[in-house]
């Protein structure tokens, strides 16, 4: 039965096209994600595997604990470049040569920009240039003090005292110094992951939207519902087909994407804390890079599962694939409309909408926290649990609709 | 073996499609005869548990069919009027799929599929895609599909629509063969279909069964008699307005009419033996003058 259900899905005219689109978009995304350049000592931009190897080698030289000594070295090395004649030159090529010398520690330099910015929400690209070597020891302290400053100032009204204390304690709890390693592979992987997850979701939405409505559009409903298993096992097989599609297509897509990006750029730095990522510096989730990857993977899967099951529910309820296929679009784009409403609770709600699951990497950077029966919970575990439960609940609900379907 | 329908009613908003229908059916072929919109399909859908009745009950061997649920559907075969299929499935795939949702084991399913394709004259075409079949072939696949689980109750909604005369004869023979040990209910507008094979005919009109019985019984109980006569050409219209006219045929000395009437319409008209077609017209026909009424 399951085999035939899947056959039905792929016998729809658009299914092959949808799979084609998915393949093309993944291909293009991988191309963008792996497009890393390296400026060689002559100031010439290089691309391709040798450029990746060269960049990796330069950054590997800085790998290790990010303690005051190493930070001081970065500050000084940076200073040296900035005062070099090449950097000061008007000539484009000369400046590229200057840039090439700083490639090895540019990610660490970015962290300095974060740490020594004027305020928690500020970022100043030239900030690192103004530092002196002995300021390196303030690095980790600045991270906490900027947060405190922000919580007492700009965000004063936004959080309760308990929540503020929660954030601060998370910040203080993190193990320092951070371990730094070359990690372009992961940065790129995380940057483009939401694109991959979203396109997969849209394609999945299309594929599953016909599973339940197809019987009506094909008019095969009468035979289906008068068969022995029609209202039971055959309906379950439909849900099974949906589950297979989501699991199979999502996992294969993500695996291919991950494999291509990491094999090409390297998986170094998997054990580093996410705070050394440009996007993870402010995160109050004290996890490592591989854990973030698992969260992104799990979030995307649960997001796809929930949305696809919702599609299937709508398709069973309305008997229309057209309405069902719009569900993923609605779920993805509604939040961008809501964003414009300037009420404080809107932010809280936005943080719990299913589209967040598709971009777990961003969720880790938001200061979203929820109080559940007195204990404070961060958004990520709530999102994962709530939507996993909702997805599971949709199954018997859809089943019930089909079980009691009348054909008039 | 008894399928009993008691005061069965189905209302759609303002339309009563099936109105207080009661009947009992046992093994044999039942022909459900009625004009478009009489409620045949609606009645059959309820018998197949596709629609829940507004009122009344349907029981199989004394047990409510909706309560029996899967057990009832296990012994049911249904060919819907607008028979739908999965366009990209081959005949074989389609039948194997229906067999699987009917709960047949794959080995049995393969065997049955082969037998049935032979029976409906489609063997050798297993690999043909459903969407590439002609209308009549699809219907034959539909009949095969309904028979897969060797059902005790076989409900066929206009099974002969779209079949060519050869196929129609084949179909009648097939039904007669199948009728032993089985309850077959088929609906049609085509009188000759049921005339040959139905052991009992149910005449349905505006949601009610207005008459039922064997062909002979029904003809014997016909409220009007059949007359034939020859009239002048310009009189034809007069007769058509006032009588249900079965047939008009131009003859040498005027027009030959065959019509229904309680009394002898003209002194020189001859009474004829009634056929099922006359019966159909008697119950469902209109006088030409009533058309706009
Ligand atoms: N789902 C529905 N909603 C509303 N009205 C309906 C529905 N199904 C059928 N009807 C109405 O019920 C009446 C009986 O329809 P039904 O299809 O049972 O007739 P039928 O005897 O099968 O006609 P035909 O010979 O054309 O197939 C018609 O007036 C039809 O308009
Ligand atoms: Mg009908």
């Amino acid at each position: 039965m399951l085999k035939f259900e899947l056959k039905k899905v792929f016998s729809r005219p658009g299914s092959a096209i949808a799979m084609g689109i998915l393949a093309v978009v993944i291909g293009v995304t991988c191309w963008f994600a792996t497009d890393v350049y390296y400026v060689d000592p002559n100031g010439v931009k290089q691309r391709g595997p040798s450029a990746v190897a060269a960049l990796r080698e330069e950054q590997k030289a800085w790998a290790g604990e990010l303690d005051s000594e190493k930070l001081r070295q970065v500050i000084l090395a940076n200073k040296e470049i900035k005062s070099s004649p090449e950097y000061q030159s008007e000539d484009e090529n000369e400046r590229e040569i200057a840039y090439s010398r700083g490639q090895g520690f540019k990610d660490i330099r970015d962290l300095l920009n974060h740490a020594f910015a004027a305020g928690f929400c500020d970022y100043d690209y030239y900030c690192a240039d103004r530092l002196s070597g002995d300021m390196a020891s303030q690095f980790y302290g600045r991270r906490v003090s900027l947060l405190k400053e922000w919580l007492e100032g700009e965000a004063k009204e936004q959080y309760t005292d308990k929540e503020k204390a929660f954030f601060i304690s998370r910040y203080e709890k993190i193990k320092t110094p951070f371990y730094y390693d070359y990690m372009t592979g992961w940065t790129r992987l995380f940057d483009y992951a939401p694109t991959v997850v979203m396109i997969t979701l849209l394609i999945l939405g299309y594929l599953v939207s016909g599973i339940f409505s197809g019987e009506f559009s094909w008019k095969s409903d009468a035979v289906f519902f008068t068969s022995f298993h029609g209202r039971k096992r055959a309906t379950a097989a439909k849900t099974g087909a949906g589950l297979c599609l989501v699991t199979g297509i999502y996992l294969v897509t993500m695996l291919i994407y991950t494999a291509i990006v990491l094999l090409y750029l390297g998986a170094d730095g998997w054990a580093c804390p996410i705070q050394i990522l440009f996007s993870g510096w402010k995160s109050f989730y004290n996890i490592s890079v591989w854990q973030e990857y698992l969260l992104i993977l799990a979030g995307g899967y649960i997001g796809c599962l929930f949305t696809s099951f919702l599609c299937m529910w709508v398709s069973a309820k309305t008997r229309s694939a057209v309405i069902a296929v719009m569900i993923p679009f609605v779920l993805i784009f509604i939040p961008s409309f809501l964003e414009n409403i300037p009420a404080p609770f809107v932010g809280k709600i936005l943080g719990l909408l299913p589209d967040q699951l598709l971009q777990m990497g961003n969720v880790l950077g938001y200061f979203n926290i929820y109080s559940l029966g007195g204990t404070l919970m961060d958004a990520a575990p709530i999102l994962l649990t709530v939507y996993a439960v909702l997805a599971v609940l949709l199954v018997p609900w859809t089943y019930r609709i089909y079980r009691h379907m009348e054909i008039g | 073996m008894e399928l009993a329908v008691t005061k069965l009613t189905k209302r759609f908003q303002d339309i009563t499609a099936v109105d207080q229908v009661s009947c009992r059916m046992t093994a044999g072929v039942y022909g459900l005869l009625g004009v478009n919109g009489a409620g045949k399909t609606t009645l059959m859908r309820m018998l197949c548990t596709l629609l829940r009745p507004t009122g009344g009950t349907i029981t199989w061997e004394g047990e409510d069919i909706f309560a029996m649920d899967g057990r009832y559907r296990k012994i049911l075969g249904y060919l819907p009027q607008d028979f739908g299929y999965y366009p990209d499935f081959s005949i074989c795939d389609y039948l194997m799929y229906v067999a699987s949702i009917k709960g047949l084991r794959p080995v049995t399913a393969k065997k049955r599929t082969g037998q049935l394709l032979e029976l409906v004259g489609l063997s050798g075409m297993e690999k043909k895609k459903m969407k590439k079949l002609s209308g009549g072939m699809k219907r034959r696949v539909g009949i095969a599909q309904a028979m897969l689980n060797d059902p005790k109750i076989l409900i066929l909604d206009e099974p002969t629509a779209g079949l060519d005369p050869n196929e129609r004869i084949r179909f009648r023979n097939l039904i007669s063969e199948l009728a032993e040990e089985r309850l077959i209910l088929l609906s049609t507008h085509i009188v000759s279909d049921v005339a040959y094979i139905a052991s009992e005919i149910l005449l349905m009109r505006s949601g009610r069964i207005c008459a039922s019985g064997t062909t002979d019984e029904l003809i014997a109980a016909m409220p009007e008699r059949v007359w034939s006569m020859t009239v002048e050409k310009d009189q034809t219209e007069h007769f058509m307005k006032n009588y249900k006219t079965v047939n008009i045929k131009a003859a040498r000395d005027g027009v030959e009419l065959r019509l229904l009437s309680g009394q002898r319409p003209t002194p020189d008209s001859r009474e004829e033996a009634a056929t099922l077609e006359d019966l159909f017209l008697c119950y469902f026909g209109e006088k030409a003058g009533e058309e706009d009424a």
Side-chain angles (χ1 to χ4, degrees):
Chain A
M1 261 183 252
L2 188 65
K3 187 186 84 189
F4 287 115
E5 280 303 333
L6 291 172
K7 196 176 158 85
K8 284 189 217 169
V9 170
F10 288 104
S11 73
R12 272 175 83 201
S15 294
I17 300 171
M19 293 302 284
I21 293 176
L22 181 63
V24 169
V25 174
I26 298 306
V28 172
T29 311
C30 283
W31 194 80
F32 278 116
T34 53
D35 184 29
V36 171
Y37 67 84
Y38 167 73
V39 180
D40 69 13
N42 302 321
V44 182
K45 248 185 201 173
Q46 311 267 4
R47 285 168 202 273
S50 59
V52 172
L55 185 68
R56 181 163 178 271
E57 197 186 328
E58 295 232 353
Q59 299 199 339
K60 272 287 191 192
W62 293 89
E65 303 239 305
L66 214 51
D67 52 16
S68 303
E69 179 49 30
K70 180 151 285 164
L71 287 163
R72 202 177 63 86
Q73 286 170 14
V74 173
I75 293 172
L76 295 181
N78 181 56
K79 263 209 161 16
E80 198 185 316
I81 293 169
K82 295 298 137 91
S83 54
S84 67
E86 285 88 354
Y87 183 79
Q88 314 265 337
S89 163
E90 292 289 308
D91 182 58
E92 189 75 25
N93 188 252
E94 294 286 300
R95 292 175 61 98
E96 288 289 343
I97 291 173
Y99 173 85
S100 92
R101 292 176 188 158
Q103 281 174 116
F105 54 82
K106 71 174 164 59
D107 291 345
I108 305 178
R109 188 181 171 279
D110 277 336
L111 297 183
L112 289 169
N113 287 334
H114 272 309
F116 292 95
F120 187 67
C121 298
D122 297 322
Y123 177 81
D124 173 5
Y125 182 75
Y126 297 102
C127 178
D129 302 350
R130 296 190 293 268
L131 301 177
S132 64
D134 49 356
M135 286 168 84
S137 57
Q138 300 170 24
F139 183 72
Y140 294 106
R142 287 280 300 178
R143 188 164 172 270
V144 182
S145 64
L146 278 177
L147 172 76
K148 286 183 177 163
E149 209 176 275
W150 177 65
L151 287 174
E152 287 317 312
E154 219 177 307
K156 196 170 170 51
E157 304 298 315
Q158 227 169 312
Y159 302 102
T160 64
D161 286 345
K162 205 172 158 194
E163 290 170 334
K164 289 175 189 167
F166 181 87
F167 292 137
I168 294 168
S169 90
R170 280 287 184 86
Y171 260 52
E172 285 172 341
K173 252 189 229 152
I174 196 165
K175 195 175 137 271
T176 58
F178 299 157
Y179 190 90
Y180 170 80
D181 200 344
Y182 162 81
M183 51 192 330
T184 310
W186 294 103
T187 319
R188 290 307 187 107
L189 188 72
F190 293 168
D191 283 351
Y192 289 91
T195 316
V196 175
V197 176
M198 267 178 218
I199 184 74
T200 311
L201 174 65
L202 294 181
I203 298 297
L204 279 174
Y206 176 80
L207 292 179
V208 303
S209 64
I211 293 183
F212 281 92
S213 58
E215 302 299 334
F216 304 102
S217 51
W218 280 316
K219 295 200 165 162
S220 48
D221 47 353
V223 172
F224 184 86
F225 286 108
T226 49
S227 70
F228 176 55
H229 288 310
R231 292 176 189 267
K232 292 178 180 164
R233 276 246 292 274
T235 304
K238 284 184 180 294
T239 311
L243 183 66
C244 280
L245 283 174
V246 175
T247 312
I249 292 179
Y250 176 79
L251 283 184
V252 167
T253 309
M254 285 304 272
L255 234 66
I256 290 177
Y257 170 66
T258 308
I260 290 179
V261 173
L262 290 187
L263 283 178
Y264 188 80
L265 296 175
D268 314 60
W270 55 273
C272 297
I274 61 169
Q275 279 72 13
I276 64 160
L277 297 170
F278 183 77
S279 58
W281 170 256
K282 288 181 199 160
S283 176
F284 67 89
Y285 292 82
N286 298 339
I287 56 176
S288 31
V289 168
W290 67 272
Q291 288 170 318
E292 170 166 355
Y293 176 70
L294 285 188
L295 267 181
I296 290 176
L297 199 65
Y301 179 61
I302 291 174
C304 284
L305 203 61
F306 168 76
T307 315
S308 301
F309 281 5
L310 191 63
C311 266
M312 283 153 68
W313 179 81
V314 169
S315 127
K317 189 91 187 157
T318 62
R319 306 184 182 191
S320 155
V322 180
I323 299 176
V325 89
M326 292 191 307
I327 295 296
F329 289 93
V330 173
L331 289 187
I332 291 175
F333 294 112
I334 281 275
S336 13
F337 291 111
L338 290 178
E339 253 164 26
N340 302 326
I341 306 172
F345 62 90
V346 172
K348 288 244 170 202
I349 294 170
L350 280 174
L352 287 182
L353 291 182
D355 69 304
Q356 299 288 309
L357 284 166
L358 312 179
Q359 34 182 332
M360 286 305 272
N362 299 340
V363 171
L364 298 180
Y366 298 147
F367 279 74
N368 271 331
I369 192 170
Y370 299 88
S371 168
L372 271 179
T375 43
L376 291 175
M377 289 270 282
D378 13 7
I382 299 184
L383 281 167
L384 292 178
T385 336
V386 167
Y387 286 102
V389 169
L390 285 180
V392 169
L393 287 181
L394 277 169
V395 172
W397 199 1
T398 310
Y399 183 83
R400 258 185 69 87
I401 293 176
Y402 237 51
R403 170 120 182 74
H404 300 291
M405 189 68 81
E406 286 200 34
I407 315 297
Chain B
M1 189 186 278
E2 189 190 53
L3 188 65
V5 174
T6 319
K7 295 201 170 163
L8 195 66
T9 304
K10 181 73 197 180
R11 265 191 294 278
F12 295 111
Q13 293 100 42
D14 47 343
I15 307 167
T16 306
V18 173
D19 192 5
Q20 303 269 341
V21 167
S22 297
C23 64
R24 279 163 196 287
M25 291 176 259
T26 59
V29 181
Y30 292 78
L32 189 58
L33 215 53
V35 291
N36 291 136
K40 304 183 294 293
T41 299
T42 308
L43 173 61
M44 288 181 150
R45 281 192 176 139
M46 287 191 283
L47 291 174
C48 292
T49 68
L50 286 174
L51 274 179
R52 292 223 163 226
T54 315
T57 55
I58 309 167
T59 58
W60 171 251
E61 309 286 33
E63 210 179 332
D64 187 87
I65 63 165
F66 291 95
M68 283 175 76
D69 202 29
R71 270 187 300 131
Y72 177 72
R73 284 190 285 272
K74 203 175 177 91
I75 53 162
L76 175 73
Y78 176 47
L79 171 65
Q81 181 170 9
D82 43 359
F83 164 63
Y85 51 88
Y86 313 106
D88 269 302
F89 277 34
S90 66
I91 296 182
C92 185
D93 281 342
Y94 177 73
L95 289 178
M96 287 302 282
Y97 173 63
V98 176
S100 77
I101 62 175
K102 286 194 172 199
L104 269 67
R105 264 178 284 129
V107 187
T108 328
K110 258 216 158 65
K111 219 172 79 196
R112 282 293 290 166
T113 304
Q115 289 170 348
L116 285 167
L117 285 177
E118 181 88 48
L119 208 61
V120 296
L122 285 176
S123 43
M125 301 178 72
E126 294 88 342
K127 292 277 164 271
K128 223 169 153 136
K129 287 258 169 86
M130 291 291 283
K131 64 180 170 196
K132 298 209 170 126
L133 299 181
S134 75
M137 290 177 189
K138 281 175 200 157
R139 202 135 277 275
R140 285 191 251 165
V141 176
I143 294 165
Q145 159 279 124
M147 288 296 302
L148 271 171
N149 54 334
D150 197 14
K152 282 207 171 64
I153 305 165
L154 185 57
I155 296 182
L156 308 168
D157 202 347
E158 299 191 19
T160 52
L163 295 185
D164 64 34
N166 272 336
E167 229 11 84
R168 189 162 261 149
I169 292 165
R170 242 177 104 120
F171 172 76
R172 280 186 212 146
N173 296 339
L174 176 64
I175 293 296
S176 305
E177 265 173 53
L178 295 174
E180 282 172 47
E181 292 302 301
R182 217 186 294 274
L183 188 167
I184 302 180
L185 175 65
L186 53 92
S187 78
T188 182
H189 318 116
I190 300 166
V191 179
S192 60
D193 278 345
V194 287
Y196 289 99
I197 49 171
S199 49
E200 186 159 339
I201 294 170
L202 307 168
L203 293 179
M204 197 162 182
R205 179 180 185 158
S206 319
R208 289 168 180 272
I209 304 253
C210 53
S212 66
T214 61
T215 313
D216 294 338
E217 281 168 8
L218 282 172
I219 288 173
M222 213 166 104
E224 287 174 296
R225 285 182 285 171
V226 186
W227 308 91
S228 77
M229 58 194 168
T230 310
V231 297
E232 297 289 325
K233 205 169 174 185
D234 52 359
Q235 276 184 293
T236 322
E237 204 167 323
H238 162 78
F239 281 101
M240 283 178 64
K241 257 201 182 112
N242 294 298
Y243 299 96
K244 292 173 183 165
T245 317
V246 185
N247 201 18
I248 307 165
K249 196 168 95 189
R252 235 179 318 118
D253 47 351
V255 177
E256 219 178 279
L257 291 180
R258 183 182 171 97
L259 46 77
L260 305 178
S261 171
Q263 283 98 43
R264 183 181 293 267
T266 55
D268 57 346
S269 45
R270 300 173 302 277
E271 182 160 5
E272 301 268 345
T275 66
L276 205 56
E277 211 157 314
D278 303 318
L279 182 82
F280 190 83
L281 193 76
C282 172
Y283 282 103
F284 305 122
E286 291 151 344
K287 296 165 199 162
E290 281 176 354
E291 243 162 6
D292 299 322

